[in-house]
Amino acid sequence: MTRLVDLTITEAGERLRRGETSSAELTEATLERITATEPVVHAYALVLAERARQAANQADRERAAGEDRGPLHGIPVAVKDICYMRGLPNEAGSRAMAGFVPEYDATVVTKLEAAGAVIVGKTVTHEFAYGVNVPPTRTAWELSCYPGGSSAGSGVSVTVRSAFGAIGTDTGGSIRIPAAVNGIVGLKPTYGRVSRYGVVPLGTSLDHVGPLTRTVADCAIILQATAGYDAADGGSVDVPVADYLAGLEDGVAGLTIGVERPFFFYDGVAPDVRRAVEGVIDTLRERGAKIVEVSLPELEWTPQVLMTIMAPEASTFHRRLVRERRGDYDPETRGSLEMGEFIPATHYLLAQRARNLFRQRMRNLFESHGLDALLSPTMPVTTCPQADLWNPRPDYPSEAPILSVIHHSFSANLVGLPALSAPCGFSDAGLPIGFQLLGRPFAEQTIFRIARAYEREYDWTTMQPDVTSQESGVRSQGSL
């Protein structure tokens, strides 16, 4: 018999509507799963057991009274610990934020709760989402290995079934990389699609908020609940929100998908990753998609341009705090933030010019070839041992594995296009592999449709790692 925690958001929602289970039962099963898995994976910074139980009971009362807030009503989810929740600690993975309790909710939290979601906890992030320090979270597929970017806690919680879905953030790949590493679906929406109000910033012109889930439909459900214009976010864009589930099963016949090989399929792509993603291309071609070979030489600029923009933007937010609480920062994070202050304004402005040119070239590429999406590996390699992440290895094509891990992700942040990672198999060593789709601005509906066309053919989303309990150090509000 299927455990409650093994249900997708879609399946759990259907059971709730039919009265076959309750939100209280889903939430209790999730809290029990947290107890069982946290000693091993450390996905949560804060567990909100009693708060979640109260929210679940409220959802059940509402359903009993005939109120249905939608497919997230009564579903247990998690949010990254850089999203404000009123009256709760928000430490963003840093001692420098110890004791900070916000007086308001992040818009994404407000929207989740308005949709009836039950927030069970806040997930672990790298310090201030910078991705430099080493948090305790590990991927359950291989505990010694890197669990993904700063949204690793969110990704791991979904993988081990200690949340039905989770919110992450993505400045240079930190939703898509944890999705690929953990064998799940992750979406970085179009810039301005989901509000960042109440979310601790990293690079204000690069930050995105988005969902991590087990399936494409679940990802669409969370985006539906969280998307929309927010005047409180200066980067928010007032564009109508589509029905993201509409047309999800329409297949790919008539769609045109670009494949840019010089950058995304370069020699450094691991053979098993290449094999898996070529399989995705073949499957979509067989299902009626037109596959077009394209070239965009400007992709080679993206790492340097993005870092030149992100570093000073990050340092701007921390300028006062890093001086007042210098000793509370991880030395690696502090060093990166301080270094960002030395980037000249001339370099930042040149990088913004390069960004505008790259955005124009990307737009021209989509228009000239009539593309609906670009397809690539999410990462050119699989994950590697955490201890080796910053050290050169002969089996990784870049100077250090981390440079390979992030190689494919920066371009979508730089131009603000929607980008989705979905699972497409496993390496010879049994580690998950993901493929990435970049779409047109605000065309999340189309990349959901493409990813779903592939997902229908395989059962990758049903696979999960074996997690064994060990001693836990999880911080909790309310008994589990």
Side-chain angles (χ1 to χ4, degrees), residues 104-108 110-111 194-199 228-237:
Y104 59 94
D105 288 329
T107 298
V108 69
T110 300
K111 283 179 170 284
V194 177
S195 174
R196 302 160 305 161
Y197 179 69
V199 178
Y229 176 67
D230 180 13
D233 175 4
S236 187
V237 180

Side-chain angles (χ1 to χ4, degrees), residues 77-231:
V77 301
V79 299
K80 187 174 179 177
D81 192 30
I82 61 171
C83 301
Y84 288 6
M85 293 184 69
R86 182 169 56 87
L88 295 173
N90 188 89
E91 297 186 355
S94 178
R95 294 192 306 273
M97 291 279 280
F100 172 67
V101 177
E103 297 179 352
Y104 59 94
D105 288 329
T107 298
V108 69
V109 169
T110 300
K111 283 179 170 284
L112 284 173
E113 293 187 330
V118 175
I119 298 177
V120 295
K122 304 191 76 180
T123 56
V124 172
T125 175
H126 289 86
E127 186 173 34
F128 292 110
Y130 212 140
V132 180
N133 74 312
V134 181
T137 306
R138 293 292 177 268
T139 175
W141 293 102
E142 176 50 65
L143 294 178
S144 67
C145 284
Y146 176 61
S150 66
S151 303
S154 292
V156 170
S157 69
V158 174
T159 301
V160 301
R161 282 38 172 184
S162 63
F164 283 76
I167 294 296
T169 62
D170 191 314
T171 305
S174 289
I175 288 174
R176 290 159 289 152
I177 292 170
V181 164
N182 290 288
I184 59 174
V185 178
L187 173 75
K188 181 201 79 62
T190 307
Y191 185 81
R193 178 74 290 178
V194 177
S195 174
R196 302 160 305 161
Y197 179 69
V199 178
V200 178
L202 178 54
T204 52
S205 70
L206 299 161
D207 292 342
H208 302 69
V209 176
L212 294 108
T213 61
R214 282 176 49 202
T215 69
V216 175
D218 288 358
C219 202
I221 286 170
I222 294 185
L223 182 64
Q224 195 76 57
T226 55
Y229 176 67
D230 180 13

Side-chain angles (χ1 to χ4, degrees), residues 394-425:
D395 55 333
Y396 273 73
S398 299
E399 187 173 324
I402 187 62
L403 301 179
S404 295
V405 167
I406 62 178
H407 184 271
H408 285 13
S409 57
F410 283 2
S411 57
N413 295 85
L414 203 57
V415 296
L417 296 180
L420 178 140
S421 178
C424 61

Side-chain angles (χ1 to χ4, degrees), residues 57 63 67 81 190 303 319 350 365 387 403 428 447 458:
N57 290 332
R63 282 195 176 277
E67 181 178 354
D81 192 30
T190 307
R319 188 170 184 272
L350 285 171
L365 183 77
L403 301 179
D428 297 337
I447 58 176
Y458 298 93

